[in-house]
Amino acid sequence: MIRVSKWVLGLTAAVGLTLSSAGSASADGELHLYNWSNYFPPELLEKFEKETGIKPTMDNYASEEDLLAKLQAGGGGYDVIFPGPTTLGTMIQKGLVADIQVNKMENFKNVLGPFQTLSVDPDRSYSAPYMWGTTGFTYDPAMVPGGKLEESWGELFKPKDELKGNIAMLNEMSDVWNAAAYYTGVSKCTEDPKEAQKILDVLMAQKPFVKVYSNDGTIDRMSAGEVAVHMQWNGAAHRVKANKPDVVYVYPKEGTTLWTDTLAVPANAPNMENAKTFINWMLLPENAAAASNYTGYSNAIIGSGKFLSEALSSDPAVNMPEEYADRLSGFEICSDASKSLRERVWTKLKS
Amino acid sequence: MSLVSATIGALTPGRKKAGDANHWPGLAFMACVFFAYVYLPIAVLIALSFNENELVTIWTGFSLDWYIIALQNEDMIRAAGNSLLIACVASFCATALSTLAAVQMSRDRFKGQSAMNALVALPLTVPEIVTAVASLLFFATLGVTQGLITVMIAHTVFCIPFAYLPIRARLEGLDPRLFEAANDLYATPVQTFRRVTLPLMMPGILSGAVLAFIISLDDFVTTFFVGGAGSTTLPIYIFGLIRVGVSPEVNAISSIMLLVSVAMVSISLLLGRGHERG
Amino acid sequence: MTIIDSTAAPVAGYDSRKRNLRRQRLLLIGPAVGAITIFMVAPLLLMAWISIQTRDFSGSVVWNSYSAEAYLRFIFERNLDDSLSLNFDYLLIIWRSLWLAAITTGLSLLVGFPTAMFMATRPKKWRPALVFLVTVPFWTNLLVRNYAWILLLRDHGTINSALMGIGIINEPLPLLHNSFAVSVGLTYSFLPFMVLPIYSSLEKLDMRMVEASFDLYATRLQTLRRIIFPAAMPGVVAGAILVFVPCLGSYVTPELLGGGKTMMIGNLIGLQFGAARNWPFGAALGFGLLAMVLLAMTFYALKSGKSKQGISL
């Protein structure tokens, strides 16, 4: 057994040396972005190419777990990725992202004070802020009994009979775990298997009534009336309103996750310099505002306000009314033990 | 035969023959069911690609707009370019490797030869998903970045049996006396290969190469797991679109792909027939 | 084999001839065999090795941590408090894969056999065209073929719209994202693999045998049972294996038509290398699938050996 494994490793190492020299060779002037679908305006990519001469291409992932999987399997040759703090924390811990010294970049001064630091990346060395928003749920008043739902996660986790099979959930571990934790009153960072079991029980009880778990196409799904209620990010909810002005975005009273996404660079990115150029460029007010106008989320750049469209600031899904402020729940760094529990609850739910 | 049947017929009066060899009740009906099953989805897909409405299912009028939008889609064009590039490289490499191996295998007999034949056919036996994830592990463990190169390698490997089998079959069908004749006429081994073996193998090589090309072009699973930045092929691109939702643009792209495959298969069949005659 | 002589110079001695031959084998067969050994056999061995490792919380493989954990997961699950309990979820997915592959094989046979027979009983000049018609869809992209079924089966798809249009149903039937959709899609994907082998078996059958059978007052049923089925048997067995094996390992069809809920073993494997990030378990599942396929092939080898004998009798 050992001899075989040695032989296999020896052989693979030899091939690896030859291949990696060939594989890492990449043409100058390229930039490969790896992002959620529908999370970056195509026109902004064209603008970047026009201004810098660097040719960007964009591929999409379906969840942060997929992104992490790709990075663990060798990075896939991507230069810029868009992870949230949990995933970014794991990536920093595992050495999967490059220390690109964002804090020393020319445009870093444009970053809003609170965003100049991040729990998992305190001095913003690895990451720059991209968008931030909240995770709540959206419903179509025309499709729910009585035309109104309570502002509670209970409407999703214990749906009324009429809504069974007519709800959709996000397919994102952190968001779903957090929502179930708020609902059951358990800490997001619990290390207690019994508490994790409570979360799992709520999710498993809900599972038969969920039409689909998906992060892609949430806007289309709500617009086309395929479901009545959709766990959703606020920017997506904002974009649903363009097609269906009556939909309501709910900030659930048990707790609403406040999240931030970042721009980061994989450790073995083939076009490291271009990636830095891109991140610095994204810290300009005009460009950050363009991204906000497209995605419907807020950015963290000083002076971007004057480029924002009117529709954004007038929508309570984007510009949160003051009374909901105490419902927001920020990101917390959880221990490995807690992350492991979360991961196992998710695996059990999805199998 | 007719004598026998006439005799038996005479012996057993009142019995009628039960049927005619070429006519069975229900066969034509089942064949119709079959062809409807096979062609209906394709027909619907093509029809809907000409629908002017964005809602895909409700027909509102004829329009070529979605084709224009699809053909102007830069990402789609780039993906199509990648598909063609990968298919060209993979089918060329696989055909070259297979040709060399087939020549030696068909004229040689040695211990372990059947094991080698089995090895060459291995990509046909192992389920593609298993090969794909094994390759992913292999490249990841080596620290090779996934991308065009890894996809080309993986495609070459699974194309080998598709190129090898037709070439080998062609060689097996050749008359060995042709080579003896060349030898008798004092041709050197190299001359024999270039002037006799190679031209005779050509139809096999061509059909092997075309088969490998189509198989590579069609592939999704291997590319999905082994690919990375810059290796987005048309199937990968379409998969991304389908994941987000059904759209008339996807209908148009799919219809174009359908047309291209059918055209390619028809051409390769016609080519193959020409060679058979020659 | 006959040109061995021509490749060696007549004057050369036995030893140098042997050396020449060996070099020739290395140069000609070596590249193809080498490519498959390095890029296919070695990865499979590496996969075997990884299947007996463990993973940490973030999904990275912990090297040299030998454990049977991945194989235990086939029937046991670790509860959140680390205790083990029986869990048949994964076995259920494996069972569903086998069951769907069997259903698909059966459906293909049901539709494919009469079609093959229909083709074989047409005049000779029509047959190449019919074969072409059967194979055309097979050459079009697998994703495109499955996508076409999404258009037909979804809630507001062609079939539901048509049925609601003529007033047979009021609510759309749930046709997509279930086992039904997957088996329809799989059958669609692999039908030609059933039709063609049966057709080529039947084509070899001398139709005069069938006529003779009728001449001898055999009924249709008797003729089918005694003449046509035995002749078609090798094709049926080959077709069954050609449909069953790729069905078992299919990934695209259950992914697109099954939604997230109708997973087959191929998707479960894929998931371990994507969102679930559990390489050892994925590797172990891969070997489970490989074992099932090899079992099916062995069965075929035995069966086809037997049926060949049957024909020669």
Side-chain angles (χ1 to χ4, degrees):
Chain A
M1 184 73 233
I2 289 168
R3 267 180 61 191
V4 171
S5 64
K6 258 189 188 158
W7 181 77
V8 173
L9 278 188
L11 189 67
T12 46
V15 180
L17 280 177
T18 4
L19 284 181
S20 47
S21 52
S24 60
S26 174
D28 290 337
E30 283 188 4
L31 183 71
H32 294 294
L33 307 162
Y34 199 35
N35 193 1
W36 296 93
S37 59
N38 236 332
Y39 197 39
F40 199 93
E43 313 82 51
L44 197 57
L45 280 186
E46 283 167 28
K47 183 170 176 246
F48 176 71
E49 185 177 354
K50 231 173 260 160
E51 290 179 13
T52 61
I54 297 168
K55 191 157 178 39
T57 57
M58 173 105 69
D59 287 340
N60 298 324
Y61 48 83
S63 70
E64 296 220 345
E65 287 76 50
D66 283 307
L67 165 66
L68 189 54
K70 200 72 174 178
L71 246 63
Q72 281 174 334
Y78 293 105
D79 301 309
V80 178
I81 52 177
F82 296 69
T86 315
T87 314
L88 181 72
T90 307
M91 286 172 174
I92 293 175
Q93 196 180 345
K94 294 277 166 188
L96 295 171
V97 282
D99 183 355
I100 48 169
Q101 304 198 307
V102 174
N103 48 20
K104 300 216 172 78
M105 284 182 181
E106 188 194 336
N107 296 331
F108 187 72
K109 58 178 193 302
N110 295 341
V111 175
L112 277 168
F115 288 92
Q116 292 206 354
T117 173
L118 184 72
S119 49
V120 295
D121 180 17
D123 40 350
R124 281 287 184 191
S125 202
Y126 293 90
S127 68
Y130 179 55
M131 298 280 116
W132 64 271
T134 56
T135 310
F137 64 86
T138 315
Y139 68 88
D140 183 350
M143 291 174 74
V144 303
K148 195 162 169 54
L149 291 184
E150 253 187 272
E151 293 183 347
S152 159
W153 285 114
E155 299 282 9
L156 263 183
F157 289 127
K158 295 218 168 74
K160 300 188 169 81
D161 282 343
E162 295 89 337
L163 296 176
K164 284 178 179 167
N166 214 356
I167 58 176
M169 292 291 284
L170 287 174
N171 190 24
E172 189 56 43
M173 179 171 68
S174 302
D175 281 321
V176 174
W177 163 275
N178 287 348
Y182 305 140
Y183 181 63
T184 49
V186 166
S187 155
K188 280 191 281 194
C189 285
T190 182
E191 295 176 17
D192 181 355
K194 288 203 188 71
E195 292 189 338
Q197 186 65 45
K198 265 194 192 160
I199 292 180
L200 180 61
D201 291 344
V202 164
L203 293 174
M204 289 304 276
Q206 179 209 22
K207 191 176 175 184
F209 311 132
V210 176
K211 188 167 192 178
V212 63
Y213 292 89
S214 169
N215 299 328
D216 294 305
T218 68
I219 301 168
D220 295 343
R221 210 168 290 123
M222 272 312 284
S223 305
E226 282 176 46
V227 290
V229 191
H230 205 317
M231 181 184 190
Q232 208 168 28
W233 295 302
N234 64 328
H238 170 71
R239 290 164 77 183
V240 172
K241 289 182 185 176
N243 308 318
K244 252 191 188 175
D246 293 339
V247 298
V248 179
Y249 178 76
V250 175
Y251 294 87
K253 60 176 188 240
E254 297 90 351
T256 304
T257 302
L258 177 67
W259 52 262
T260 56
D261 276 345
T262 66
L263 297 160
V265 178
N268 56 355
N271 305 295
M272 193 74 80
E273 285 312 309
N274 293 350
K276 288 185 199 167
T277 308
F278 176 80
I279 288 174
N280 188 41
W281 186 82
M282 278 308 293
L283 298 178
L284 288 171
E286 198 189 335
N287 300 332
S292 284
N293 287 337
Y294 176 82
T295 60
Y297 301 104
S298 315
N299 63 63
I301 303 300
I302 300 164
S304 64
K306 61 173 181 279
F307 301 104
L308 289 179
S309 72
E310 182 59 32
L312 274 181
S313 50
S314 63
D315 184 352
V318 183
N319 197 355
M320 187 185 67
E322 203 50 46
E323 73 247 42
Y324 297 134
D326 58 343
R327 295 184 179 180
L328 293 187
S329 172
F331 174 77
E332 291 167 37
I333 301 183
C334 304
S335 64
D336 286 357
S338 171
K339 279 191 203 169
S340 172
L341 273 180
R342 177 191 298 202
E343 180 98 30
R344 280 157 68 180
V345 164
W346 187 244
T347 313
K348 281 178 195 292
L349 175 67
K350 298 313 297 275
S351 60
Chain B
M1 168 135 18
S2 57
L3 186 72
V4 175
S5 61
T7 318
I8 294 173
L11 287 173
T12 50
R15 284 186 68 180
K16 258 170 59 190
K17 275 205 307 179
D20 169 355
N22 286 324
H23 292 94
W24 296 78
L27 267 197
F29 173 75
M30 284 309 278
C32 285
V33 169
F34 172 86
F35 284 108
Y37 179 53
V38 167
Y39 283 96
L40 195 69
I42 296 179
V44 167
L45 171 70
I46 295 179
L48 288 177
S49 71
F50 291 110
N51 190 3
E52 113 198 301
N53 192 310
E54 197 175 338
L55 284 172
V56 182
T57 23
I58 305 152
W59 180 267
T60 50
F62 181 87
S63 142
L64 285 174
D65 290 357
W66 300 111
Y67 283 87
I68 296 168
I69 290 172
L71 290 173
Q72 282 170 346
N73 180 341
E74 258 185 66
D75 292 333
M76 204 277 287
I77 306 277
R78 196 181 309 118
N82 279 337
S83 278
L84 286 177
L85 177 70
I86 291 165
C88 283
V89 171
S91 59
F92 176 81
C93 294
T95 312
L97 293 177
S98 305
T99 307
L100 295 179
V103 166
Q104 184 67 14
M105 288 288 233
S106 69
R107 69 183 179 193
D108 202 352
R109 287 290 174 271
F110 55 89
K111 236 173 107 184
Q113 193 173 12
S114 57
M116 283 209 178
N117 264 324
L119 194 67
V120 172
L122 195 62
L124 292 179
T125 325
V126 180
E128 196 188 355
I129 179 79
V130 176
T131 318
V133 297
S135 307
L136 171 76
L137 287 177
F138 182 69
F139 290 126
T141 308
L142 296 179
V144 180
T145 308
Q146 301 100 314
L148 267 183
I149 306 260
T150 51
V151 172
M152 282 172 182
I153 290 172
H155 276 223
T156 302
V157 170
F158 74 64
C159 281
I160 286 177
F162 290 98
Y164 177 78
L165 293 175
I167 301 174
R168 186 72 205 275
R170 176 80 193 175
L171 277 170
E172 296 291 310
L174 293 181
D175 188 343
R177 281 172 301 181
L178 288 166
F179 306 109
E180 282 165 28
N183 197 23
D184 288 346
L185 295 168
Y186 298 103
T188 64
V190 174
Q191 280 175 320
T192 311
F193 180 77
R194 269 191 42 206
R195 310 287 286 273
V196 182
T197 319
L198 197 59
L200 285 171
M201 284 168 80
M202 221 44 198
I205 294 180
L206 269 182
S207 63
V210 170
L211 198 57
F213 188 82
I214 295 174
I215 294 292
S216 165
L217 213 55
D218 190 47
D219 178 76
F220 170 77
V221 172
T222 303
T223 321
F224 185 68
F225 284 99
V226 180
S231 69
T232 302
T233 59
L234 212 41
I236 301 282
Y237 181 69
I238 292 184
F239 183 76
L241 292 180
I242 297 176
R243 210 175 55 194
V244 176
V246 166
S247 85
E249 194 187 344
V250 184
N251 295 354
I253 298 176
S254 300
S255 302
I256 296 172
M257 281 182 74
L258 217 132
L259 199 76
V260 170
S261 333
V262 173
M264 255 179 47
V265 173
S266 312
I267 290 169
S268 81
L269 277 183
L270 288 177
L271 275 179
R273 244 165 61 188
H275 279 290
E276 291 293 303
R277 283 203 199 105
Chain C
M1 61 197 122
T2 8
I3 39 176
I4 289 178
D5 296 337
S6 68
T7 54
V11 284
Y14 177 75
D15 272 352
S16 73
R17 227 162 71 187
K18 216 173 156 190
R19 211 180 312 127
N20 252 341
L21 192 62
R22 214 174 281 146
R23 205 175 56 202
Q24 221 172 51
R25 282 177 190 154
L26 194 70
L27 279 176
L28 295 179
I29 306 180
V33 168
I36 289 181
T37 309
I38 295 174
F39 295 112
M40 185 134 183
V41 179
L44 287 173
L45 292 175
L46 180 70
M47 192 167 103
W49 194 51
I50 287 180
S51 79
I52 49 171
Q53 308 294 321
T54 55
R55 79 191 273 270
D56 71 2
F57 76 93
S58 75
S60 316
V61 174
V62 184
W63 298 101
N64 290 314
S65 61
Y66 297 96
S67 148
E69 182 81 29
Y71 290 94
L72 275 179
R73 287 197 65 180
F74 279 74
I75 31 175
F76 291 105
E77 81 175 318
R78 265 207 201 279
N79 292 323
L80 296 174
D81 57 6
D82 267 334
S83 61
L84 279 180
S85 61
L86 278 175
N87 176 352
F88 297 120
D89 284 358
Y90 296 127
L91 279 190
L92 191 74
I93 292 178
I94 294 171
W95 171 246
R96 180 193 291 140
S97 310
L98 286 166
W99 182 75
L100 274 174
I103 292 270
T104 304
T105 312
L107 275 177
S108 308
L109 187 63
L110 204 69
V111 188
F113 191 91
T115 309
M117 206 167 136
F118 174 80
M119 290 162 67
T121 51
R122 287 315 93 188
K124 266 215 164 65
K125 59 175 179 183
W126 289 111
R127 292 182 199 170
L130 285 170
V131 171
F132 180 71
L133 279 179
V134 169
T135 45
V136 163
F138 166 70
W139 293 114
T140 61
N141 191 284
L142 188 64
L143 278 173
V144 171
R145 277 181 281 159
N146 281 297
Y147 174 71
W149 278 102
I150 295 183
L151 288 180
L152 284 170
L153 295 178
R154 65 203 190 106
D155 278 3
H156 304 284
T158 314
I159 291 178
N160 272 321
S161 303
L163 289 179
M164 281 159 80
I166 35 178
I168 296 180
I169 50 170
N170 294 322
E171 287 283 302
L173 297 171
L175 299 174
L176 193 60
H177 299 321
N178 50 34
S179 298
F180 165 78
V182 176
S183 57
V184 166
L186 285 176
T187 309
Y188 190 66
S189 307
F190 299 116
L191 249 183
F193 290 119
M194 184 60 92
V195 175
L196 293 180
I198 299 180
Y199 164 73
S200 70
S201 290
L202 283 178
E203 207 202 6
K204 285 192 210 114
L205 171 68
D206 190 340
M207 277 301 161
R208 282 176 303 184
M209 296 258 287
V210 181
E211 271 162 33
S213 160
F214 284 135
D215 282 347
L216 295 168
Y217 296 101
T219 61
R220 284 184 189 283
L221 212 65
Q222 283 171 322
T223 312
L224 266 179
R225 230 184 53 210
R226 307 285 284 272
I227 310 282
I228 295 180
F229 284 164
M233 211 47 202
V236 170
V237 175
I241 212 81
L242 282 175
V243 173
F244 187 81
V245 167
C247 262
L248 204 55
S250 61
Y251 178 85
V252 173
T253 305
E255 192 77 14
L256 290 180
L257 301 180
K261 290 177 182 171
T262 317
M263 247 192 233
M264 286 174 70
I265 184 166
N267 309 87
L268 188 60
I269 295 173
L271 188 68
Q272 306 310 316
F273 292 88
R277 287 168 290 112
N278 192 337
W279 291 3
F281 184 47
L285 283 170
F287 277 103
L289 175 57
L290 198 56
M292 286 194 282
V293 166
L294 290 181
L295 216 64
M297 308 274 260
T298 317
F299 173 76
Y300 169 65
L302 292 175
K303 192 88 184 172
S304 69
K306 264 190 210 144
S307 63
K308 259 185 207 134
Q309 272 177 358
I311 287 296
S312 66
L313 287 172

